[in-house]
Amino acid sequence: RDGRIHDKKRAKYRQINRFLEYLRDVSGKLPAEGEIYAIELCCGKSYLTFAAYYYLTTLLGRKVVMTGVDLKPDVIEFCSKTAESLGWDGLQFICGDIDAFTPARTPDLALSLHACDVATDIVLAKAAQSGTRVILSTPCCQHELYNLMDPPPEPIAALCAQPLIRHKLTDAFTDALRVLYLEAYGYEVNAAELVDPEQTPKNTLIRAVKVRGHNPDARRRYEETCTFLGARPSKLTFDWDM
């Protein structure tokens, strides 16, 4: 009530503020006029959703329609009531599976903060396939590739002999494949550090800005890399032929 951040929430507070700094850096890539349509999938309690909506509407003075999607009914009810109490009628929340969610139109902005494992892949695929202008995503808990590479392919089997190191390598491989996937959809991509690793080990932010149409060369590199690894993320599929 006195404006002091709860001790247990200080790390989250710093993450959200740093995320908003990255949003500020790419705000010039959003439409200069008219309404901004934004989505956050796996929004959870929507700390980021509310902060981003406030930044875009109150600080930048833009008209925004923003949708948060999550599976948990109680969380969505809480977020909906909070948005209503604030009078933020451009902010809406949907309870449902993000894999089944269809954007109302091509989003201008897609956000995700620590969507776990393949949920991040679903977010990126949904955003890329719909042609979203700007994507900001911080992955979390990359388990799928670790399990798919069992056993690891011979070229890198010796590097993956230790489970801990294998986890670290497959985490990095997963994010590298995500970058290639977005590049194949015509995005200029940058993987940056969100916050200090001491605050959270899941601190990579993938920032992607749409700059062109489909990029067959990037897709070829993606396919070749998957072949080399002997596995591919199940949700990073393509809706166009080579």
Side-chain angles (χ1 to χ4, degrees):
R1 293 182 181 277
D2 61 3
R4 183 177 180 274
I5 304 302
H6 294 290
D7 289 343
K8 292 183 178 180
K9 295 295 183 182
R10 287 183 180 275
K12 175 67 72 175
Y13 180 76
R14 286 191 288 268
Q15 291 169 37
I16 297 296
N17 276 277
R18 184 66 179 127
F19 203 109
L20 291 182
E21 290 177 359
Y22 279 108
L23 175 56
R24 177 197 61 196
D25 292 344
V26 295
S27 60
K29 304 298 182 180
L30 298 173
E33 298 179 350
E35 179 183 275
I36 294 174
Y37 175 44
I39 59 174
E40 186 187 357
L41 307 184
C42 292
C43 61
K45 287 189 175 180
S46 301
Y47 298 115
L48 178 60
T49 315
F50 282 102
Y53 185 85
Y54 173 82
Y55 173 73
L56 293 170
T57 57
T58 303
L59 298 186
L60 296 189
R62 301 300 304 275
K63 179 176 176 55
V64 176
V65 170
M66 191 166 190
T67 301
V69 184
D70 200 272
L71 271 175
K72 299 177 182 177
D74 57 331
V75 168
I76 291 299
E77 181 182 5
F78 172 79
C79 293
S80 297
K81 288 181 177 179
T82 302
E84 183 180 356
S85 70
L86 292 168
W88 289 359
D89 55 3
L91 187 54
Q92 60 179 340
F93 294 93
I94 296 174
C95 182
D97 187 343
I98 62 169
D99 213 358
F101 171 73
T102 301
R105 61 176 176 86
T106 299
D108 300 302
L109 175 66
L111 307 173
S112 74
L113 177 63
H114 294 159
C116 193
D117 199 17
V118 298
T120 289
D121 293 336
I122 296 172
V123 172
L124 296 180
K126 188 80 64 173
Q129 291 175 14
S130 60
T132 302
R133 289 194 182 204
V134 176
I135 302 169
L136 296 173
S137 176
T138 301
C140 181
C141 308
Q142 302 98 320
H143 298 308
E144 187 184 38
L145 207 60
Y146 179 93
N147 294 318
L148 290 176
M149 290 171 52
D150 188 17
E154 188 56 40
I156 58 173
L159 301 177
C160 297
Q162 294 293 322
L164 176 63
I165 295 175
R166 178 176 163 186
H167 256 299
K168 291 179 179 293
L169 286 172
T170 53
D171 284 358
F173 292 158
T174 300
D175 286 340
L177 285 172
R178 288 164 172 163
V179 169
L180 284 173
Y181 178 84
L182 291 172
E183 289 178 347
Y185 271 93
Y187 287 86
E188 182 178 86
V189 189
N190 174 253
E193 191 173 77
L194 178 63
V195 290
D196 192 294
E198 291 183 358
Q199 295 182 32
T200 173
K202 306 299 181 180
N203 70 328
T204 298
L205 182 135
I206 297 174
R207 176 175 55 190
V209 177
K210 184 76 169 174
V211 294
R212 55 168 290 180
H214 295 158
N215 183 343
D217 288 338
R219 178 170 174 178
R220 193 172 296 107
R221 291 195 297 273
Y222 175 88
E223 302 285 0
E224 290 172 352
T225 304
C226 287
T227 299
F228 174 79
L229 295 175
R232 61 187 300 147
S234 62
K235 298 299 183 178
L236 294 184
T237 59
F238 292 91
D239 61 353
W240 53 281
D241 296 326
M242 288 284 281

